Amino acid sequence: MSLNDTPISQISTGVGGLDELLRGGFIQNRMYLVTGEPGTAKTTLAMHFLHEGLANDETVLYIHGEESAEELKTNAAQFGIDISAVEFLDLGPDSDFFTEDSSFDLVDSSNIDQERYTEVIHEAIEEIDPERVVIDPITQLRYLETSDYHYRKRILSFIRFLKKRGVTILATATLNKNQNASADIRSLSDGVVTLSRVADGRRIEVKKNRGIGQIEGDHGAEIRSNGLEVYPRIRPEPSDREFDPTPVGSGIPELDEVVGGGSERGTVTFISGPTGVGKTTLATVYLAQAARQLGKSVIYLFEERIETF
């Protein structure tokens, strides 16, 4: 089998419009990064991703550090998103990490051995055996390392560990004022989705999607009662349909002569002019002639009136 014949399996992000931008959804067993400033719906997108996994009877894991599991469940419920069946791994400094009651407790990272910390996280993942993992935010792991070099090395090792287990990963990272807080993680990610807020609403852009590409440009997004919604731009699709330059005349020989025999079928013609010069009358003449030539009904739309000739 050649590389071009290698099958690519995709899964839904839980947001239909985003699936469209990704040309079908996330590729399984890959790492995707969602970036944006605070309040741009990164966590909401992560919740959709996990909920979609639950709907497909998958085991899903939420690794979090800024909000508690109860806060995340409550926030998700506001959008009608039920993540109560999600497995939670809390990396916050006030949480429990792997106590006998199956919750998780992590002490101040400056007082623990980083290798043991990573080992315990790996043990949790091996025990839960998830198919989807959210790391929200992935920058939480930075606090364990003494340098950016060690942080990048640790992240790379962690991602490889998850991929070997067949996990599809969605991580979030908050951009700083220079928009470069997650530069290292972006280079390690198979895909990058950026969320933003602008004067007239929200925007979303897929800046990277290894393997199958993406629909370029930024697109509309909104937070509705059911969560994040994405509205891809309407783009003209190329057509291989042959153009048939058959003229459709007006039935007025003098006018048809002026316009070279008539308007060509499959084209758009505008009739313009000031009020009262006969635009509507001329349009109806064309419609009546088209109906006679084509032997079909012609739909005439004028303001709120629709008539059939």
Side-chain angles (χ1 to χ4, degrees):
M1 178 182 293
S2 67
L3 291 177
N4 291 334
D5 295 330
T6 303
I8 291 180
S9 184
Q10 292 178 268
I11 59 175
S12 174
T13 63
V15 180
L18 178 56
D19 289 347
E20 184 176 338
L21 299 185
L22 292 163
R23 303 188 185 279
F26 290 151
I27 297 177
Q28 280 187 306
N29 195 29
R30 294 195 179 182
M31 152 80 172
Y32 291 86
L33 179 67
V34 179
T35 68
E37 295 180 347
T40 52
K42 299 184 297 297
T43 296
T44 303
L45 175 53
M47 292 173 176
H48 280 295
F49 175 67
L50 293 176
H51 182 262
E52 181 68 18
L54 292 176
N56 294 329
D57 295 324
E58 300 173 13
T59 301
V60 299
L61 171 64
Y62 200 146
I63 302 176
H64 56 105
E66 294 184 347
E67 298 178 88
S68 69
E70 290 306 315
E71 289 174 327
L72 292 168
K73 292 177 186 177
T74 299
N75 294 341
Q78 302 306 308
F79 298 117
I81 302 173
D82 183 5
I83 57 172
S84 57
V86 169
E87 298 284 349
F88 289 89
L89 177 56
D90 192 344
L91 301 187
D94 299 324
S95 63
D96 296 328
F97 195 106
F98 281 153
T99 57
E100 292 183 355
D101 61 359
S102 298
S103 58
F104 308 103
D105 184 26
L106 180 63
V107 297
D108 189 337
S109 61
S110 63
N111 299 323
I112 65 172
D113 177 77
Q114 285 89 348
E115 293 299 331
R116 175 53 187 160
Y117 179 90
T118 303
E119 179 182 338
V120 173
I121 294 177
H122 284 199
E123 289 173 357
I125 291 171
E126 289 172 347
E127 178 181 338
I128 296 170
D129 193 24
E131 293 160 88
R132 300 187 186 209
V133 168
V134 163
I135 310 172
D136 181 28
I138 196 169
T139 46
Q140 179 80 8
L141 302 178
R142 174 66 181 85
Y143 304 138
L144 297 174
E145 306 301 335
T146 57
S147 68
D148 290 337
Y149 167 76
H150 288 96
Y151 171 53
R152 179 185 175 92
K153 184 177 179 181
R154 183 79 64 181
I155 290 295
L156 180 58
S157 174
F158 187 42
I159 291 172
R160 285 179 175 174
F161 166 74
L162 291 173
K163 286 185 175 182
K164 284 181 179 179
R165 299 189 61 83
V167 175
T168 306
I169 312 145
L170 185 153
T172 70
T174 301
L175 296 175
N176 62 18
K177 293 181 179 180
N178 296 323
Q179 305 294 296
N180 62 1
S182 54
D184 284 342
I185 309 173
R186 286 201 301 268
S187 67
L188 298 175
S189 302
D190 297 296
V192 177
V193 178
T194 298
L195 296 165
S196 60
R197 298 184 70 173
V198 294
D200 58 349
R202 299 175 184 271
R203 309 298 295 175
I204 185 170
E205 182 177 2
V206 179
K207 295 192 172 182
K208 175 181 178 183
N209 190 23
R210 286 178 183 152
I212 56 177
Q214 67 275 354
I215 297 179
E216 300 289 349
D218 67 330
H219 304 262
E222 288 295 339
I223 299 295
R224 305 293 189 187
S225 60
N226 59 339
L228 178 65
E229 294 185 0
V230 173
Y231 312 106
R233 289 185 179 186
I234 298 176
R235 294 174 177 268
E237 295 292 334
S239 173
D240 56 2
R241 181 174 63 90
E242 292 185 3
F243 178 66
D244 179 13
T246 302
V248 178
S250 65
I252 304 174
E254 295 80 6
L255 176 59
D256 293 341
E257 183 179 351
V258 171
V259 296
S263 300
E264 294 176 339
R265 186 182 303 173
T267 63
V268 177
T269 301
F270 285 91
I271 303 173
S272 65
T275 303
V277 297
K279 299 186 297 297
T280 301
T281 301
L282 180 57
T284 56
V285 168
Y286 268 103
L287 285 172
Q289 178 65 8
R292 286 192 292 269
Q293 284 186 330
L294 301 176
K296 299 179 180 178
S297 295
V298 177
I299 303 300
Y300 170 44
L301 292 86
F302 178 70
E303 294 183 349
E304 297 180 355
R305 184 178 62 191
I306 301 179
E307 299 179 4
T308 302
F309 288 84

